[in-house]
Amino acid sequence: MKFPYLEVSKDNFVPIITFEICAGQRWIRLEAYIDSGATYSIFHVDTAGLLDIDYQEGKKILITVGDGGVIPVYLHKLPVRFAGLEFDAIVGFSKSLGVGFNLLGRAGFFEKFRICFNDRDKIVEATKLI
Amino acid sequence: MCKKMDYFLKHGKELEKKYAGRYIAVIDNKMVAVGSSRVEVYQKAIKSIPPDKDLGIFYLPLKKEVLTAL
């Protein structure tokens, strides 16, 4: 499946895609910046609020970010839909994420898909691995 | 690509101008709510739709956020 980059201003494109996460009776589609350098996906705690889960009940880990600092992240295994596939993925929640968008990291996603960035054409392509 | 994502992409620049740094809810290719958190726009949006309706909630990044070294 091909996802066009999101154009946030003139000639400024970012690899933000969408995926779905299960919130009880409803699937909610959310945005995420594909971060191939990140071990785990990290979502904002208000995303946990949508799912009505206590994010602090997850396994707490510390993740090192770009400036060398560490942020606490709470891991949960949750049902997601991405690129036409439904599966359980380990995702983390943190109130210390320094950007507004969610981050989609490798765990749970890059094992199931080959994800290729095409910056020339502003497309990210997720191909299911057999 | 689904309609909710299509709307998000198609109107990305236009939405950025008005709502950068904020959150929007999209149902059936229409923006139905805007607010300062995902939970806020979710609560606004679910008042007007049946439980089986698909819903998209998206953050509109600030320009300074998209130059990243994550």
PDB file of all heavy atoms in Angstrom, chain A residues 4 7-8 14 18 26 28-31 33 35 44 46-47 50 99-102, chain B residues 2 5 9 16 38-39 42 49-51 53 55-59 65-66 68 70:
ATOM      1  N   PRO A   4       0.847   8.629   0.327  1.00  0.00           N
ATOM      2  CA  PRO A   4       1.529   9.881  -0.020  1.00  0.00           C
ATOM      3  C   PRO A   4       1.959  10.621   1.240  1.00  0.00           C
ATOM      4  O   PRO A   4       1.268  10.557   2.260  1.00  0.00           O
ATOM      5  CB  PRO A   4       0.459  10.668  -0.792  1.00  0.00           C
ATOM      6  CG  PRO A   4      -0.830  10.033  -0.445  1.00  0.00           C
ATOM      7  CD  PRO A   4      -0.574   8.634   0.011  1.00  0.00           C
ATOM      8  N   GLU A   7       1.639  16.965   2.979  1.00  0.00           N
ATOM      9  CA  GLU A   7       2.248  18.265   2.684  1.00  0.00           C
ATOM     10  C   GLU A   7       1.797  19.245   3.756  1.00  0.00           C
ATOM     11  O   GLU A   7       0.620  19.598   3.841  1.00  0.00           O
ATOM     12  CB  GLU A   7       1.829  18.764   1.300  1.00  0.00           C
ATOM     13  CG  GLU A   7       2.562  20.034   0.903  1.00  0.00           C
ATOM     14  CD  GLU A   7       2.260  20.481  -0.518  1.00  0.00           C
ATOM     15  OE1 GLU A   7       1.316  19.948  -1.121  1.00  0.00           O
ATOM     16  OE2 GLU A   7       2.983  21.381  -0.996  1.00  0.00           O
ATOM     17  N   VAL A   8       2.727  19.685   4.573  1.00  0.00           N
ATOM     18  CA  VAL A   8       2.348  20.554   5.691  1.00  0.00           C
ATOM     19  C   VAL A   8       2.486  22.043   5.359  1.00  0.00           C
ATOM     20  O   VAL A   8       1.913  22.880   6.042  1.00  0.00           O
ATOM     21  CB  VAL A   8       3.149  20.230   6.968  1.00  0.00           C
ATOM     22  CG1 VAL A   8       2.823  18.841   7.459  1.00  0.00           C
ATOM     23  CG2 VAL A   8       4.631  20.381   6.754  1.00  0.00           C
ATOM     24  N   VAL A  14       6.114  15.454   4.706  1.00  0.00           N
ATOM     25  CA  VAL A  14       6.589  14.589   5.788  1.00  0.00           C
ATOM     26  C   VAL A  14       5.913  13.213   5.683  1.00  0.00           C
ATOM     27  O   VAL A  14       4.763  13.107   5.269  1.00  0.00           O
ATOM     28  CB  VAL A  14       6.318  15.197   7.175  1.00  0.00           C
ATOM     29  CG1 VAL A  14       7.195  16.391   7.421  1.00  0.00           C
ATOM     30  CG2 VAL A  14       4.859  15.582   7.340  1.00  0.00           C
ATOM     31  N   THR A  18      -1.522   7.120   8.089  1.00  0.00           N
ATOM     32  CA  THR A  18      -2.556   6.835   9.079  1.00  0.00           C
ATOM     33  C   THR A  18      -2.638   5.335   9.330  1.00  0.00           C
ATOM     34  O   THR A  18      -2.243   4.524   8.492  1.00  0.00           O
ATOM     35  CB  THR A  18      -3.947   7.342   8.650  1.00  0.00           C
ATOM     36  OG1 THR A  18      -4.391   6.608   7.520  1.00  0.00           O
ATOM     37  CG2 THR A  18      -3.931   8.827   8.337  1.00  0.00           C
ATOM     38  N   ARG A  26     -15.215   0.677  18.537  1.00  0.00           N
ATOM     39  CA  ARG A  26     -14.946   1.519  17.378  1.00  0.00           C
ATOM     40  C   ARG A  26     -13.456   1.489  17.014  1.00  0.00           C
ATOM     41  O   ARG A  26     -12.602   1.431  17.889  1.00  0.00           O
ATOM     42  CB  ARG A  26     -15.332   2.956  17.730  1.00  0.00           C
ATOM     43  CG  ARG A  26     -15.189   3.965  16.635  1.00  0.00           C
ATOM     44  CD  ARG A  26     -15.336   5.376  17.169  1.00  0.00           C
ATOM     45  NE  ARG A  26     -16.647   5.650  17.730  1.00  0.00           N
ATOM     46  CZ  ARG A  26     -17.722   5.927  17.018  1.00  0.00           C
ATOM     47  NH1 ARG A  26     -17.650   5.987  15.713  1.00  0.00           N
ATOM     48  NH2 ARG A  26     -18.877   6.168  17.601  1.00  0.00           N
ATOM     49  N   ILE A  28     -10.548   3.757  15.456  1.00  0.00           N
ATOM     50  CA  ILE A  28     -10.262   5.173  15.223  1.00  0.00           C
ATOM     51  C   ILE A  28      -9.002   5.283  14.383  1.00  0.00           C
ATOM     52  O   ILE A  28      -7.991   4.636  14.671  1.00  0.00           O
ATOM     53  CB  ILE A  28     -10.054   5.930  16.548  1.00  0.00           C
ATOM     54  CG1 ILE A  28     -11.300   5.824  17.422  1.00  0.00           C
ATOM     55  CG2 ILE A  28      -9.727   7.390  16.292  1.00  0.00           C
ATOM     56  CD1 ILE A  28     -11.132   6.451  18.791  1.00  0.00           C
ATOM     57  N   ARG A  29      -9.082   6.099  13.350  1.00  0.00           N
ATOM     58  CA  ARG A  29      -7.905   6.328  12.500  1.00  0.00           C
ATOM     59  C   ARG A  29      -7.113   7.505  13.047  1.00  0.00           C
ATOM     60  O   ARG A  29      -7.689   8.545  13.377  1.00  0.00           O
ATOM     61  CB  ARG A  29      -8.343   6.583  11.051  1.00  0.00           C
ATOM     62  CG  ARG A  29      -7.185   6.688  10.073  1.00  0.00           C
ATOM     63  CD  ARG A  29      -7.656   6.560   8.635  1.00  0.00           C
ATOM     64  NE  ARG A  29      -8.070   5.204   8.328  1.00  0.00           N
ATOM     65  CZ  ARG A  29      -7.264   4.247   7.871  1.00  0.00           C
ATOM     66  NH1 ARG A  29      -5.997   4.513   7.647  1.00  0.00           N
ATOM     67  NH2 ARG A  29      -7.718   3.044   7.626  1.00  0.00           N
ATOM     68  N   LEU A  30      -5.824   7.293  13.165  1.00  0.00           N
ATOM     69  CA  LEU A  30      -4.927   8.313  13.713  1.00  0.00           C
ATOM     70  C   LEU A  30      -3.756   8.535  12.779  1.00  0.00           C
ATOM     71  O   LEU A  30      -3.464   7.685  11.930  1.00  0.00           O
ATOM     72  CB  LEU A  30      -4.379   7.851  15.072  1.00  0.00           C
ATOM     73  CG  LEU A  30      -5.402   7.527  16.164  1.00  0.00           C
ATOM     74  CD1 LEU A  30      -4.706   6.816  17.322  1.00  0.00           C
ATOM     75  CD2 LEU A  30      -6.076   8.792  16.645  1.00  0.00           C
ATOM     76  N   GLU A  31      -3.058   9.654  12.984  1.00  0.00           N
ATOM     77  CA  GLU A  31      -1.862   9.923  12.184  1.00  0.00           C
ATOM     78  C   GLU A  31      -0.626   9.415  12.921  1.00  0.00           C
ATOM     79  O   GLU A  31      -0.631   9.288  14.156  1.00  0.00           O
ATOM     80  CB  GLU A  31      -1.723  11.430  11.904  1.00  0.00           C
ATOM     81  CG  GLU A  31      -0.978  12.242  12.953  1.00  0.00           C
ATOM     82  CD  GLU A  31      -1.611  12.236  14.318  1.00  0.00           C
ATOM     83  OE1 GLU A  31      -2.836  12.164  14.396  1.00  0.00           O
ATOM     84  OE2 GLU A  31      -0.848  12.310  15.321  1.00  0.00           O
ATOM     85  N   TYR A  33       3.870   9.618  12.350  1.00  0.00           N
ATOM     86  CA  TYR A  33       5.095   9.893  11.580  1.00  0.00           C
ATOM     87  C   TYR A  33       5.900   8.597  11.567  1.00  0.00           C
ATOM     88  O   TYR A  33       6.208   8.051  12.627  1.00  0.00           O
ATOM     89  CB  TYR A  33       5.858  10.998  12.290  1.00  0.00           C
ATOM     90  CG  TYR A  33       7.064  11.555  11.568  1.00  0.00           C
ATOM     91  CD1 TYR A  33       7.048  12.852  11.066  1.00  0.00           C
ATOM     92  CD2 TYR A  33       8.226  10.806  11.419  1.00  0.00           C
ATOM     93  CE1 TYR A  33       8.160  13.379  10.425  1.00  0.00           C
ATOM     94  CE2 TYR A  33       9.331  11.331  10.775  1.00  0.00           C
ATOM     95  CZ  TYR A  33       9.288  12.618  10.283  1.00  0.00           C
ATOM     96  OH  TYR A  33      10.390  13.135   9.656  1.00  0.00           O
ATOM     97  N   ASP A  35       8.847   6.568  11.805  1.00  0.00           N
ATOM     98  CA  ASP A  35      10.180   6.829  12.347  1.00  0.00           C
ATOM     99  C   ASP A  35      10.965   5.515  12.336  1.00  0.00           C
ATOM    100  O   ASP A  35      10.927   4.749  13.301  1.00  0.00           O
ATOM    101  CB  ASP A  35      10.044   7.380  13.769  1.00  0.00           C
ATOM    102  CG  ASP A  35      11.388   7.740  14.376  1.00  0.00           C
ATOM    103  OD1 ASP A  35      12.417   7.614  13.682  1.00  0.00           O
ATOM    104  OD2 ASP A  35      11.412   8.134  15.549  1.00  0.00           O
ATOM    105  N   HIS A  44       0.965   9.591  22.069  1.00  0.00           N
ATOM    106  CA  HIS A  44       0.669  10.507  23.173  1.00  0.00           C
ATOM    107  C   HIS A  44      -0.292   9.876  24.170  1.00  0.00           C
ATOM    108  O   HIS A  44      -1.117   9.042  23.800  1.00  0.00           O
ATOM    109  CB  HIS A  44       0.061  11.791  22.621  1.00  0.00           C
ATOM    110  CG  HIS A  44       1.091  12.700  22.068  1.00  0.00           C
ATOM    111  ND1 HIS A  44       1.675  13.686  22.811  1.00  0.00           N
ATOM    112  CD2 HIS A  44       1.674  12.735  20.859  1.00  0.00           C
ATOM    113  CE1 HIS A  44       2.570  14.308  22.071  1.00  0.00           C
ATOM    114  NE2 HIS A  44       2.592  13.744  20.886  1.00  0.00           N
ATOM    115  N   ASP A  46      -2.831  11.167  25.368  1.00  0.00           N
ATOM    116  CA  ASP A  46      -4.253  11.420  25.076  1.00  0.00           C
ATOM    117  C   ASP A  46      -4.796  10.407  24.079  1.00  0.00           C
ATOM    118  O   ASP A  46      -5.997  10.203  23.980  1.00  0.00           O
ATOM    119  CB  ASP A  46      -4.531  12.877  24.678  1.00  0.00           C
ATOM    120  CG  ASP A  46      -3.977  13.264  23.337  1.00  0.00           C
ATOM    121  OD1 ASP A  46      -3.133  12.536  22.805  1.00  0.00           O
ATOM    122  OD2 ASP A  46      -4.399  14.322  22.818  1.00  0.00           O
ATOM    123  N   THR A  47      -3.900   9.737  23.362  1.00  0.00           N
ATOM    124  CA  THR A  47      -4.344   8.614  22.527  1.00  0.00           C
ATOM    125  C   THR A  47      -4.818   7.478  23.432  1.00  0.00           C
ATOM    126  O   THR A  47      -5.834   6.827  23.144  1.00  0.00           O
ATOM    127  CB  THR A  47      -3.205   8.135  21.600  1.00  0.00           C
ATOM    128  OG1 THR A  47      -2.803   9.239  20.770  1.00  0.00           O
ATOM    129  CG2 THR A  47      -3.655   6.988  20.723  1.00  0.00           C
ATOM    130  N   LEU A  50      -8.276   8.125  24.447  1.00  0.00           N
ATOM    131  CA  LEU A  50      -9.298   7.721  23.467  1.00  0.00           C
ATOM    132  C   LEU A  50      -9.674   6.257  23.645  1.00  0.00           C
ATOM    133  O   LEU A  50     -10.802   5.855  23.405  1.00  0.00           O
ATOM    134  CB  LEU A  50      -8.770   7.885  22.031  1.00  0.00           C
ATOM    135  CG  LEU A  50      -8.408   9.266  21.524  1.00  0.00           C
ATOM    136  CD1 LEU A  50      -7.919   9.173  20.096  1.00  0.00           C
ATOM    137  CD2 LEU A  50      -9.603  10.186  21.628  1.00  0.00           C
ATOM    138  N   VAL A  99       6.822  16.067  20.395  1.00  0.00           N
ATOM    139  CA  VAL A  99       6.117  16.511  19.191  1.00  0.00           C
ATOM    140  C   VAL A  99       4.636  16.134  19.326  1.00  0.00           C
ATOM    141  O   VAL A  99       4.287  15.247  20.106  1.00  0.00           O
ATOM    142  CB  VAL A  99       6.705  15.872  17.911  1.00  0.00           C
ATOM    143  CG1 VAL A  99       8.069  16.460  17.593  1.00  0.00           C
ATOM    144  CG2 VAL A  99       6.783  14.348  18.031  1.00  0.00           C
ATOM    145  N   GLY A 100       3.799  16.800  18.556  1.00  0.00           N
ATOM    146  CA  GLY A 100       2.362  16.576  18.695  1.00  0.00           C
ATOM    147  C   GLY A 100       1.862  15.313  18.044  1.00  0.00           C
ATOM    148  O   GLY A 100       0.841  14.751  18.442  1.00  0.00           O
ATOM    149  N   PHE A 101       2.572  14.860  17.013  1.00  0.00           N
ATOM    150  CA  PHE A 101       2.100  13.666  16.297  1.00  0.00           C
ATOM    151  C   PHE A 101       2.605  12.398  16.975  1.00  0.00           C
ATOM    152  O   PHE A 101       3.584  12.412  17.724  1.00  0.00           O
ATOM    153  CB  PHE A 101       2.541  13.705  14.826  1.00  0.00           C
ATOM    154  CG  PHE A 101       3.938  14.191  14.593  1.00  0.00           C
ATOM    155  CD1 PHE A 101       5.037  13.374  14.795  1.00  0.00           C
ATOM    156  CD2 PHE A 101       4.172  15.498  14.166  1.00  0.00           C
ATOM    157  CE1 PHE A 101       6.322  13.822  14.570  1.00  0.00           C
ATOM    158  CE2 PHE A 101       5.457  15.971  13.935  1.00  0.00           C
ATOM    159  CZ  PHE A 101       6.536  15.124  14.147  1.00  0.00           C
ATOM    160  N   ASN A 102       1.915  11.294  16.680  1.00  0.00           N
ATOM    161  CA  ASN A 102       2.361   9.987  17.143  1.00  0.00           C
ATOM    162  C   ASN A 102       3.540   9.526  16.295  1.00  0.00           C
ATOM    163  O   ASN A 102       3.703   9.953  15.143  1.00  0.00           O
ATOM    164  CB  ASN A 102       1.222   8.971  17.008  1.00  0.00           C
ATOM    165  CG  ASN A 102       0.040   9.319  17.896  1.00  0.00           C
ATOM    166  OD1 ASN A 102       0.192   9.526  19.093  1.00  0.00           O
ATOM    167  ND2 ASN A 102      -1.149   9.394  17.309  1.00  0.00           N
TER     168      ASN A 102
ATOM    169  N   CYS B   2      -8.038   5.449   2.343  1.00  0.00           N
ATOM    170  CA  CYS B   2      -9.402   5.692   2.788  1.00  0.00           C
ATOM    171  C   CYS B   2      -9.760   7.178   2.684  1.00  0.00           C
ATOM    172  O   CYS B   2      -8.905   8.037   2.550  1.00  0.00           O
ATOM    173  CB  CYS B   2      -9.591   5.219   4.220  1.00  0.00           C
ATOM    174  SG  CYS B   2      -8.830   6.305   5.399  1.00  0.00           S
ATOM    175  N   MET B   5      -8.179   9.592   5.330  1.00  0.00           N
ATOM    176  CA  MET B   5      -6.796   9.946   5.033  1.00  0.00           C
ATOM    177  C   MET B   5      -6.746  10.856   3.827  1.00  0.00           C
ATOM    178  O   MET B   5      -5.959  11.789   3.773  1.00  0.00           O
ATOM    179  CB  MET B   5      -5.979   8.669   4.792  1.00  0.00           C
ATOM    180  CG  MET B   5      -4.523   8.908   4.504  1.00  0.00           C
ATOM    181  SD  MET B   5      -3.684   9.713   5.885  1.00  0.00           S
ATOM    182  CE  MET B   5      -2.028   9.860   5.210  1.00  0.00           C
ATOM    183  N   LEU B   9      -4.921  14.455   3.673  1.00  0.00           N
ATOM    184  CA  LEU B   9      -3.858  14.783   2.727  1.00  0.00           C
ATOM    185  C   LEU B   9      -4.271  15.894   1.768  1.00  0.00           C
ATOM    186  O   LEU B   9      -3.520  16.827   1.524  1.00  0.00           O
ATOM    187  CB  LEU B   9      -3.486  13.546   1.903  1.00  0.00           C
ATOM    188  CG  LEU B   9      -2.700  12.492   2.646  1.00  0.00           C
ATOM    189  CD1 LEU B   9      -2.570  11.255   1.791  1.00  0.00           C
ATOM    190  CD2 LEU B   9      -1.338  13.033   3.022  1.00  0.00           C
ATOM    191  N   GLU B  16      -3.405  23.248   7.724  1.00  0.00           N
ATOM    192  CA  GLU B  16      -2.235  23.704   8.479  1.00  0.00           C
ATOM    193  C   GLU B  16      -2.299  25.195   8.760  1.00  0.00           C
ATOM    194  O   GLU B  16      -1.954  25.651   9.840  1.00  0.00           O
ATOM    195  CB  GLU B  16      -0.956  23.400   7.694  1.00  0.00           C
ATOM    196  CG  GLU B  16      -0.527  21.955   7.735  1.00  0.00           C
ATOM    197  CD  GLU B  16       0.040  21.563   9.087  1.00  0.00           C
ATOM    198  OE1 GLU B  16       0.555  22.447   9.800  1.00  0.00           O
ATOM    199  OE2 GLU B  16      -0.067  20.380   9.424  1.00  0.00           O
ATOM    200  N   ARG B  38      -6.718  15.279  21.477  1.00  0.00           N
ATOM    201  CA  ARG B  38      -7.431  14.195  20.791  1.00  0.00           C
ATOM    202  C   ARG B  38      -8.727  13.857  21.525  1.00  0.00           C
ATOM    203  O   ARG B  38      -9.757  13.621  20.900  1.00  0.00           O
ATOM    204  CB  ARG B  38      -6.525  12.964  20.685  1.00  0.00           C
ATOM    205  CG  ARG B  38      -5.378  13.140  19.723  1.00  0.00           C
ATOM    206  CD  ARG B  38      -4.484  11.903  19.664  1.00  0.00           C
ATOM    207  NE  ARG B  38      -3.428  12.068  18.674  1.00  0.00           N
ATOM    208  CZ  ARG B  38      -2.261  12.652  18.930  1.00  0.00           C
ATOM    209  NH1 ARG B  38      -1.988  13.111  20.136  1.00  0.00           N
ATOM    210  NH2 ARG B  38      -1.357  12.783  17.973  1.00  0.00           N
ATOM    211  N   VAL B  39      -8.636  13.833  22.830  1.00  0.00           N
ATOM    212  CA  VAL B  39      -9.819  13.464  23.619  1.00  0.00           C
ATOM    213  C   VAL B  39     -10.932  14.501  23.423  1.00  0.00           C
ATOM    214  O   VAL B  39     -12.100  14.147  23.256  1.00  0.00           O
ATOM    215  CB  VAL B  39      -9.457  13.318  25.110  1.00  0.00           C
ATOM    216  CG1 VAL B  39     -10.705  13.128  25.958  1.00  0.00           C
ATOM    217  CG2 VAL B  39      -8.497  12.145  25.303  1.00  0.00           C
ATOM    218  N   TYR B  42     -12.493  14.024  20.004  1.00  0.00           N
ATOM    219  CA  TYR B  42     -13.215  12.747  20.005  1.00  0.00           C
ATOM    220  C   TYR B  42     -14.569  12.912  20.682  1.00  0.00           C
ATOM    221  O   TYR B  42     -15.604  12.484  20.160  1.00  0.00           O
ATOM    222  CB  TYR B  42     -12.375  11.692  20.726  1.00  0.00           C
ATOM    223  CG  TYR B  42     -13.059  10.356  20.901  1.00  0.00           C
ATOM    224  CD1 TYR B  42     -13.204   9.485  19.822  1.00  0.00           C
ATOM    225  CD2 TYR B  42     -13.553   9.958  22.137  1.00  0.00           C
ATOM    226  CE1 TYR B  42     -13.839   8.255  19.980  1.00  0.00           C
ATOM    227  CE2 TYR B  42     -14.179   8.734  22.308  1.00  0.00           C
ATOM    228  CZ  TYR B  42     -14.318   7.889  21.218  1.00  0.00           C
ATOM    229  OH  TYR B  42     -14.943   6.680  21.372  1.00  0.00           O
ATOM    230  N   ILE B  49     -22.396  11.019  15.850  1.00  0.00           N
ATOM    231  CA  ILE B  49     -22.316   9.887  14.920  1.00  0.00           C
ATOM    232  C   ILE B  49     -22.674   8.578  15.608  1.00  0.00           C
ATOM    233  O   ILE B  49     -22.426   8.404  16.800  1.00  0.00           O
ATOM    234  CB  ILE B  49     -20.908   9.763  14.284  1.00  0.00           C
ATOM    235  CG1 ILE B  49     -19.841   9.519  15.358  1.00  0.00           C
ATOM    236  CG2 ILE B  49     -20.581  10.963  13.443  1.00  0.00           C
ATOM    237  CD1 ILE B  49     -18.525   9.066  14.803  1.00  0.00           C
ATOM    238  N   PRO B  50     -23.241   7.629  14.849  1.00  0.00           N
ATOM    239  CA  PRO B  50     -23.520   6.313  15.419  1.00  0.00           C
ATOM    240  C   PRO B  50     -22.227   5.561  15.701  1.00  0.00           C
ATOM    241  O   PRO B  50     -21.191   5.852  15.092  1.00  0.00           O
ATOM    242  CB  PRO B  50     -24.343   5.618  14.333  1.00  0.00           C
ATOM    243  CG  PRO B  50     -24.106   6.386  13.089  1.00  0.00           C
ATOM    244  CD  PRO B  50     -23.715   7.771  13.474  1.00  0.00           C
ATOM    245  N   PRO B  51     -22.267   4.578  16.612  1.00  0.00           N
ATOM    246  CA  PRO B  51     -21.031   3.897  17.027  1.00  0.00           C
ATOM    247  C   PRO B  51     -20.322   3.134  15.914  1.00  0.00           C
ATOM    248  O   PRO B  51     -19.124   2.899  16.011  1.00  0.00           O
ATOM    249  CB  PRO B  51     -21.495   2.922  18.109  1.00  0.00           C
ATOM    250  CG  PRO B  51     -22.927   3.136  18.307  1.00  0.00           C
ATOM    251  CD  PRO B  51     -23.432   4.139  17.342  1.00  0.00           C
ATOM    252  N   LYS B  53     -19.868   4.148  12.881  1.00  0.00           N
ATOM    253  CA  LYS B  53     -19.289   5.061  11.879  1.00  0.00           C
ATOM    254  C   LYS B  53     -17.786   5.195  12.105  1.00  0.00           C
ATOM    255  O   LYS B  53     -17.333   5.326  13.243  1.00  0.00           O
ATOM    256  CB  LYS B  53     -19.957   6.430  12.037  1.00  0.00           C
ATOM    257  CG  LYS B  53     -19.892   7.276  10.818  1.00  0.00           C
ATOM    258  CD  LYS B  53     -21.023   6.957   9.887  1.00  0.00           C
ATOM    259  CE  LYS B  53     -21.159   8.015   8.809  1.00  0.00           C
ATOM    260  NZ  LYS B  53     -22.150   7.645   7.811  1.00  0.00           N
ATOM    261  N   LEU B  55     -14.186   6.918  12.221  1.00  0.00           N
ATOM    262  CA  LEU B  55     -13.781   8.238  12.702  1.00  0.00           C
ATOM    263  C   LEU B  55     -12.266   8.377  12.569  1.00  0.00           C
ATOM    264  O   LEU B  55     -11.526   7.443  12.880  1.00  0.00           O
ATOM    265  CB  LEU B  55     -14.200   8.363  14.178  1.00  0.00           C
ATOM    266  CG  LEU B  55     -13.715   9.562  14.976  1.00  0.00           C
ATOM    267  CD1 LEU B  55     -14.314  10.850  14.424  1.00  0.00           C
ATOM    268  CD2 LEU B  55     -14.111   9.401  16.442  1.00  0.00           C
ATOM    269  N   GLY B  56     -11.826   9.537  12.108  1.00  0.00           N
ATOM    270  CA  GLY B  56     -10.396   9.826  12.056  1.00  0.00           C
ATOM    271  C   GLY B  56     -10.079  11.017  12.942  1.00  0.00           C
ATOM    272  O   GLY B  56     -10.816  12.013  12.927  1.00  0.00           O
ATOM    273  N   ILE B  57      -9.034  10.896  13.724  1.00  0.00           N
ATOM    274  CA  ILE B  57      -8.591  12.015  14.564  1.00  0.00           C
ATOM    275  C   ILE B  57      -7.128  12.275  14.260  1.00  0.00           C
ATOM    276  O   ILE B  57      -6.288  11.379  14.407  1.00  0.00           O
ATOM    277  CB  ILE B  57      -8.806  11.708  16.056  1.00  0.00           C
ATOM    278  CG1 ILE B  57     -10.311  11.600  16.322  1.00  0.00           C
ATOM    279  CG2 ILE B  57      -8.185  12.791  16.934  1.00  0.00           C
ATOM    280  CD1 ILE B  57     -10.668  11.276  17.734  1.00  0.00           C
ATOM    281  N   PHE B  58      -6.848  13.485  13.819  1.00  0.00           N
ATOM    282  CA  PHE B  58      -5.511  13.789  13.314  1.00  0.00           C
ATOM    283  C   PHE B  58      -4.949  15.056  13.941  1.00  0.00           C
ATOM    284  O   PHE B  58      -5.671  16.030  14.148  1.00  0.00           O
ATOM    285  CB  PHE B  58      -5.553  13.975  11.790  1.00  0.00           C
ATOM    286  CG  PHE B  58      -6.185  12.832  11.053  1.00  0.00           C
ATOM    287  CD1 PHE B  58      -7.371  13.010  10.361  1.00  0.00           C
ATOM    288  CD2 PHE B  58      -5.615  11.575  11.079  1.00  0.00           C
ATOM    289  CE1 PHE B  58      -7.965  11.953   9.681  1.00  0.00           C
ATOM    290  CE2 PHE B  58      -6.202  10.508  10.408  1.00  0.00           C
ATOM    291  CZ  PHE B  58      -7.381  10.703   9.708  1.00  0.00           C
ATOM    292  N   TYR B  59      -3.652  15.011  14.152  1.00  0.00           N
ATOM    293  CA  TYR B  59      -2.923  16.194  14.617  1.00  0.00           C
ATOM    294  C   TYR B  59      -2.324  16.902  13.411  1.00  0.00           C
ATOM    295  O   TYR B  59      -1.774  16.251  12.506  1.00  0.00           O
ATOM    296  CB  TYR B  59      -1.810  15.780  15.570  1.00  0.00           C
ATOM    297  CG  TYR B  59      -0.925  16.915  16.002  1.00  0.00           C
ATOM    298  CD1 TYR B  59      -1.401  17.910  16.853  1.00  0.00           C
ATOM    299  CD2 TYR B  59       0.389  17.007  15.554  1.00  0.00           C
ATOM    300  CE1 TYR B  59      -0.589  18.964  17.240  1.00  0.00           C
ATOM    301  CE2 TYR B  59       1.203  18.064  15.942  1.00  0.00           C
ATOM    302  CZ  TYR B  59       0.713  19.040  16.784  1.00  0.00           C
ATOM    303  OH  TYR B  59       1.508  20.083  17.164  1.00  0.00           O
ATOM    304  N   GLU B  65       7.954  21.403  13.994  1.00  0.00           N
ATOM    305  CA  GLU B  65       7.982  20.005  14.430  1.00  0.00           C
ATOM    306  C   GLU B  65       8.417  19.044  13.332  1.00  0.00           C
ATOM    307  O   GLU B  65       8.801  17.917  13.619  1.00  0.00           O
ATOM    308  CB  GLU B  65       6.590  19.569  14.905  1.00  0.00           C
ATOM    309  CG  GLU B  65       6.157  20.174  16.208  1.00  0.00           C
ATOM    310  CD  GLU B  65       4.767  19.706  16.593  1.00  0.00           C
ATOM    311  OE1 GLU B  65       3.836  19.864  15.775  1.00  0.00           O
ATOM    312  OE2 GLU B  65       4.611  19.176  17.693  1.00  0.00           O
ATOM    313  N   VAL B  66       8.318  19.470  12.091  1.00  0.00           N
ATOM    314  CA  VAL B  66       8.547  18.506  11.009  1.00  0.00           C
ATOM    315  C   VAL B  66       9.994  18.486  10.505  1.00  0.00           C
ATOM    316  O   VAL B  66      10.329  17.703   9.626  1.00  0.00           O
ATOM    317  CB  VAL B  66       7.558  18.712   9.842  1.00  0.00           C
ATOM    318  CG1 VAL B  66       6.134  18.475  10.315  1.00  0.00           C
ATOM    319  CG2 VAL B  66       7.703  20.088   9.221  1.00  0.00           C
ATOM    320  N   THR B  68      12.980  17.155  11.752  1.00  0.00           N
ATOM    321  CA  THR B  68      13.229  16.267  12.886  1.00  0.00           C
ATOM    322  C   THR B  68      14.545  15.507  12.765  1.00  0.00           C
ATOM    323  O   THR B  68      15.057  15.274  11.669  1.00  0.00           O
ATOM    324  CB  THR B  68      12.107  15.211  12.990  1.00  0.00           C
ATOM    325  OG1 THR B  68      12.030  14.525  11.752  1.00  0.00           O
ATOM    326  CG2 THR B  68      10.782  15.843  13.317  1.00  0.00           C
ATOM    327  N   LEU B  70      14.706  12.391  14.808  1.00  0.00           N
ATOM    328  CA  LEU B  70      14.072  11.589  15.848  1.00  0.00           C
ATOM    329  C   LEU B  70      14.938  10.408  16.238  1.00  0.00           C
ATOM    330  O   LEU B  70      15.752   9.957  15.477  1.00  0.00           O
ATOM    331  CB  LEU B  70      12.693  11.126  15.363  1.00  0.00           C
ATOM    332  CG  LEU B  70      11.718  12.256  15.019  1.00  0.00           C
ATOM    333  CD1 LEU B  70      10.470  11.699  14.350  1.00  0.00           C
ATOM    334  CD2 LEU B  70      11.321  13.022  16.269  1.00  0.00           C
TER     335      LEU B  70
END
